[in-house]
């Protein structure tokens, strides 16, 4: 699945969140990606959890209950140069509507979030005049991408993702919210596609790891509650991060490459 300039639109319209969802839904319908019913799925998803990632980017998408409204997997992007108040604190300048029948969209989402984790990109998007310019920003060279986090020296554990569609937006948001309760600095690496490490408390960067079902994620924690953090993160992943997992995981898999105590802890 490749993003092309026909998928990108630029708007100087000043709209609210409800209208922004309607606009991106209309683009998906016009392209034959969804039926109009999909808009309600987007609204329902926002009611469950905000799809705002950070850095001025939101990725609205439907719920499993409205997957039958997806005719063909597709992505439509609208750059709202006036900004859209997405919630009480955040303003979205790029709204990426995603319609997917399964997990075909994860690779393009991973590519987008890697580029957009660079703090200079949102400003560049606001200055873009054409869809071609936006596409060039979103598919830029490595010079545009944020550098990975420095590897920590600390406690480590590896957990396997068993969510059927991997760490897409919703389970990623659950994971990041869970990690934020710990004082320790926590990074995550995807050992199966070589991405990371990234800050585990940054939603957009966690999504950028492109974690799919079966991928091994290495968590490194450094701080006063590092051991507790890894133990409880493993339990949360094993429970599915708010979703039904493809296989039961009790207790969660964990492998320690630095501390033998952690292997015993999860055995």
């Amino acid at each position: 699945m490749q993003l092309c300039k026909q998928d990108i639109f630029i708007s100087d319209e000043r709209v609210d969140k409800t209208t922004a969802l309607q606009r991106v839904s209309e683009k998906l319908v016009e392209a034959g990606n969804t039926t109009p019913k999909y808009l309600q799925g987007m609204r329902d998803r926002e009611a469950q959890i905000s799809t705002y990632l950070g850095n001025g980017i939101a990725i609205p998408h439907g719920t499993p209950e409205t997957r039958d409204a997806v005719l063909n997997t597709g992505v439509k992007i609208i750059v709202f140069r006036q900004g859209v108040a997405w919630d009480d604190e955040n303003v979205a300048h790029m709204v990426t509507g995603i319609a997917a029948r399964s997990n075909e969209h994860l690779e393009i989402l991973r590519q987008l979030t890697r580029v957009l984790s660079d703090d200079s990109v949102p400003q560049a998007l606001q200055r873009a005049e054409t869809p071609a310019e936006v596409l060039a920003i979103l598919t830029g060279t490595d010079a545009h991408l944020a550098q990975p986090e420095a590897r920590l020296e600390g406690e480590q554990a590896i957990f396997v993702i068993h969510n059927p569609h991997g760490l897409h937006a919703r389970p990623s948001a659950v994971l990041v919210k869970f990690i934020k309760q710990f004082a320790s600095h926590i990074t995550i690496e995807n050992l199966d596609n070589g991405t990371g490490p990234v800050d585990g408390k940054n939603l957009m960067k966690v999504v950028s790891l492109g974690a799919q079902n079966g991928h091994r994620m290495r968590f490194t924690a450094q701080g006063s509650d590092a051991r507790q953090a890894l133990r409880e993160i493993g339990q949360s992943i094993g429970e599915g991060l708010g979703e039904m997992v493809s296989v039961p995981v009790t207790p969660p898999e964990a492998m320690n490459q630095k501390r033998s105590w952690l292997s015993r802890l999860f055995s």
Side-chain angles (χ1 to χ4, degrees):
M1 181 177 176
Q2 295 293 323
L3 185 67
C4 61
K5 63 182 181 181
Q6 287 76 21
D7 297 318
I8 301 170
F9 306 87
I10 298 176
S11 173
D12 288 310
E13 186 180 13
R14 188 180 296 276
V15 300
D16 59 13
K17 179 179 178 179
T18 298
T19 304
L21 290 174
Q22 183 177 340
R23 294 287 185 269
V24 77
S25 173
E26 289 169 352
K27 298 300 183 185
L28 290 167
V29 172
E30 290 170 5
N33 297 123
T34 69
T35 70
K37 177 185 173 183
Y38 194 66
L39 174 58
Q40 187 58 50
M42 287 183 165
R43 292 169 175 162
D44 292 342
R45 176 66 78 192
E46 292 296 330
Q48 294 170 357
I49 189 168
S50 174
T51 61
Y52 183 85
L53 284 183
N55 259 12
I57 300 102
I59 53 164
H61 53 286
T63 61
E65 292 74 21
T66 53
R67 191 162 290 159
D68 61 347
V70 178
L71 305 176
N72 296 288
T73 296
V75 175
K76 299 299 174 186
I77 293 174
I78 303 180
V79 176
F80 290 99
R81 288 195 286 203
Q82 299 294 324
V84 180
W86 209 256
D87 48 44
D88 293 338
E89 300 178 349
N90 301 307
V91 175
H93 288 278
M94 190 179 97
V95 178
T96 302
I98 298 175
R101 297 184 65 84
S102 59
N103 64 352
E104 310 99 316
H105 66 294
L106 290 179
E107 176 60 22
I108 193 168
L109 181 58
R110 183 182 70 83
Q111 293 171 358
L112 287 176
T113 51
R114 286 187 67 191
V115 174
L116 293 168
S117 61
D118 184 336
D119 291 339
S120 68
V121 171
Q123 289 72 33
L125 287 172
Q126 292 178 56
R127 295 192 299 268
E129 298 290 337
T130 67
E133 291 179 23
V134 174
L135 182 62
I137 294 168
L138 298 180
T139 58
T141 63
D142 289 345
H144 294 118
L145 300 178
Q147 295 300 311
E149 292 281 317
R151 282 184 168 79
L152 296 178
E153 292 294 330
E155 311 293 346
Q156 291 187 346
I158 298 174
F159 305 110
V160 178
I161 301 301
H162 289 290
N163 297 65
H165 300 294
L167 291 186
H168 57 90
R170 187 179 183 188
S172 292
V174 173
L175 176 60
V176 169
K177 183 178 180 180
F178 189 81
I179 290 175
K180 283 182 177 179
Q181 71 180 302
F182 299 106
S184 293
H185 183 35
I186 298 170
T187 62
I188 311 173
E189 298 174 70
N190 187 331
L191 299 180
D192 286 281
N193 64 14
T195 54
V198 302
D199 181 358
K201 299 179 181 180
N202 184 310
L203 176 57
M204 186 158 52
K205 292 184 179 180
V206 171
V207 174
S208 77
L209 293 172
Q212 298 183 22
N213 184 301
H215 279 191
R216 297 163 300 143
M217 313 300 287
R218 178 161 60 202
F219 289 75
T220 304
Q222 184 181 73
S224 59
D225 57 359
R227 295 185 178 188
Q228 176 190 359
L230 291 178
R231 180 176 65 251
E232 295 188 13
I233 288 168
Q235 291 170 348
S236 184
I237 290 173
E239 292 168 358
L241 300 169
E243 295 186 331
M244 294 293 292
V245 294
S246 57
V247 297
V249 187
T250 307
E253 298 99 326
M255 294 180 288
N256 177 35
Q257 297 185 353
K258 288 190 173 183
R259 303 286 193 269
S260 60
W261 67 265
L262 194 58
S263 295
R264 296 193 299 272
L265 180 66
F266 287 103
S267 63

